[in-house]
Amino acid sequence: MTVPSAAEQRAVQRRTVSVLSAGQVLGGIAFGATVSLGALLAADISGDDALSGLATASVTLGAALCAIPLARLATKLGRRRALTLGNLFALVGIGIVISAAAVRSFPLLLVGIVLIGAGNAGNLQSRFAATDLASPRHRGRDLSVVVWATTVGGVAGPLLLGPGEIVGQAIGMPPQTGSYLFSLVAQVAALVLYLVALRPDPLLLAQRILAAGVGKTAVKERRDHPVAARYAMFAIAASHVVMASVMAMTPIHLAHMAHSTHGGHATPADISTLVGVTIAMHVAGMYALSPLFGILADRWGRLRVVLLGQGLLAGALLFAITVNDQAWGVMVALILLGLGWSAATVAGAALLTEATTPALRTRRQGRSDSLMSFSAAGGAVLAGIILSNFQYGGLAVAASVLVVAIAVLSPLGRLGSHTPHA
């Protein structure tokens, strides 16, 4: 097969980013609903707030277990098949979660959430798929555009809690599962989109181009920087742990606040509204400004934007420590938490891609996603324990240790003087 010209490659890349972005919009709906409802369903079905962290832990565990297998599948068969397999996992998971709520089975609930997390591994892989054909000058931008697209679905997911309950009650679905009906439809649409429109496969085409030695950066792209790559993986994983651990416990903290505000008699609607709006704002923070962080990563350098993310995370934790008894304070903390995560993970993913030779790139990307998810799973479990013993402010103090570690170790992330974006 012939290698496409530079103009044809740019056209394929534009199409690829558009398709991946649309898929992220659809996939984000299930993610947003699970973030909002998972902890509440876990606490309700188990009868123990301390077990609520297992919901977020299960999402991240599912993503961790599937990240490397999906990356290997992408290497052999292309991104399209890996992404559609992720969609299938999520579809099965949604069905199991609804069934678990109906029979009030906590173990079954966790199984369903694990499978939704497996689907999220595919969503995470989409941002790397956006870099397969991207030029080094625009790698951060293209990656961040796909990350940004998750905003629509991620914000819509929590905001669909109320309408979902209405629809769910009308058709006899279990309480607090109605919005998963919207997630089910969105996942089917994403699966069809990838099957039909993600052609040619970006990773398989990039492998052909590299094998042919086409492009001015072909030699430069083969340079490997393992120390910087490991730092990027650590920065991504640790930033994700900070975000996921605090975010996972926020619905429980807000539920306690709602009961306190209403004299111990808050209704499920009161709690759903407060949680839904707060998490929607948090998810908007996670994704809405990601193109800005991608552009900054291309212009300022990947490492500087990773450190900018740590500054934002530090601000979030400060609000969580000092103003955690006010709904507005928690909301500001969650918005800053999302922004810090966005800056750190967008720039970190670009740094990982740039620091790794193409032959190792997909493998390391899978390992990074797996490390990120496994770490967040453990963090979510510990977050439930810390919240029960030291409250919300204590959880924020514990998370700040990782922010300091990322900043202190940042010199390891330098690529060297030959790379303008170190």
Side-chain angles (χ1 to χ4, degrees):
M1 298 178 67
T2 60
V3 174
S5 65
E8 291 172 332
Q9 291 177 37
R10 289 192 294 269
V12 172
Q13 173 65 0
R14 287 193 296 270
R15 175 183 172 84
T16 297
V17 171
S18 297
V19 172
L20 292 171
S21 298
Q24 286 295 90
V25 170
L26 297 167
I29 292 177
F31 169 75
T34 302
V35 166
S36 299
L37 289 176
L40 294 175
L41 279 171
D44 177 54
I45 294 175
S46 69
D48 187 350
D49 284 354
L51 296 178
S52 59
L54 290 178
T56 300
S58 296
V59 171
T60 52
L61 178 62
L65 292 173
C66 286
I68 293 176
L70 285 179
R72 289 176 176 171
L73 180 65
T75 301
K76 294 180 179 180
L77 301 178
R79 298 286 190 187
R80 182 167 57 89
R81 295 190 182 183
L83 293 177
T84 53
L85 181 58
N87 288 134
L88 287 173
F89 284 142
L91 282 170
V92 175
I94 291 169
I96 291 176
V97 165
I98 295 171
S99 301
V103 300
R104 299 194 62 79
S105 170
F106 185 64
L108 188 62
L109 174 72
L110 296 184
V111 170
I113 294 177
V114 165
L115 286 172
I116 292 175
N120 195 43
N123 287 341
L124 290 172
Q125 195 179 103
S126 292
R127 74 196 195 283
F128 288 124
T131 69
D132 290 335
L133 292 171
S135 68
R137 289 179 55 199
H138 298 137
R139 189 169 282 146
R141 182 200 65 185
D142 290 355
L143 182 151
S144 65
V145 167
V146 174
V147 172
W148 173 86
T150 312
T151 308
V152 180
V155 172
L159 294 180
L160 288 172
L161 297 187
E165 281 302 292
I166 296 173
V167 174
Q169 289 177 4
I171 63 176
M173 292 180 68
Q176 296 185 320
T177 64
S179 64
Y180 279 115
L181 183 64
F182 299 125
S183 300
L184 198 68
V185 173
Q187 286 293 333
V188 171
L191 188 150
V192 173
L193 174 70
Y194 288 140
L195 282 175
V196 173
L198 196 60
R199 300 170 183 272
D201 189 282
L203 181 56
L204 297 182
L205 179 57
Q207 291 171 347
R208 281 170 43 208
I209 293 171
L210 184 68
V214 176
K216 296 179 181 179
T217 61
V219 175
K220 189 175 181 179
E221 285 284 284
R222 288 185 170 88
R223 294 176 180 171
D224 194 46
H225 305 270
V227 174
R230 292 188 194 103
Y231 171 79
M233 292 167 68
F234 169 72
I236 293 169
S239 298
H240 190 63
V241 170
V242 172
M243 183 279 293
S245 60
V246 175
M247 178 271 295
M249 293 299 101
T250 297
I252 303 302
H253 178 66
L254 290 175
H256 292 162
M257 285 178 57
H259 283 301
S260 177
T261 302
H262 292 82
H265 299 290
T267 66
D270 294 328
I271 296 172
S272 292
T273 299
L274 180 60
V275 171
V277 171
T278 302
I279 296 299
M281 295 299 292
H282 167 67
V283 175
M286 289 174 66
Y287 301 113
L289 295 185
S290 57
L292 172 62
F293 294 130
I295 292 171
L296 290 178
D298 287 336
R299 294 183 179 180
W300 290 1
R302 322 302 190 196
L303 193 55
R304 290 179 182 176
V305 179
V306 168
L307 293 175
L308 171 63
Q310 302 318 299
L312 291 167
L313 289 175
L317 297 176
L318 183 62
F319 268 92
I321 293 168
T322 59
V323 204
N324 59 58
D325 58 342
Q326 300 291 326
W328 70 267
V330 176
M331 188 173 294
V332 170
L334 266 288
I335 293 171
L336 289 174
L337 194 72
L339 290 171
W341 176 90
S342 180
T345 56
V346 165
L351 176 61
L352 174 61
T353 300
E354 196 159 82
T356 304
T357 183
L360 300 173
R361 193 168 287 164
T362 307
R363 185 187 309 171
R364 280 190 188 156
Q365 288 167 348
R367 288 177 180 173
S368 177
D369 282 347
S370 182
L371 174 64
M372 177 180 72
S373 299
F374 269 127
S375 300
V381 173
L382 290 175
I385 298 172
I386 294 172
L387 182 72
S388 298
N389 290 278
F390 301 102
Q391 300 184 353
Y392 198 65
L395 174 60
V397 170
S400 66
V401 174
L402 290 174
V403 174
V404 173
I406 295 171
V408 170
L409 295 174
S410 60
L412 299 177
R414 300 185 183 280
L415 296 182
S417 60
H418 65 274
T419 304
H421 300 301

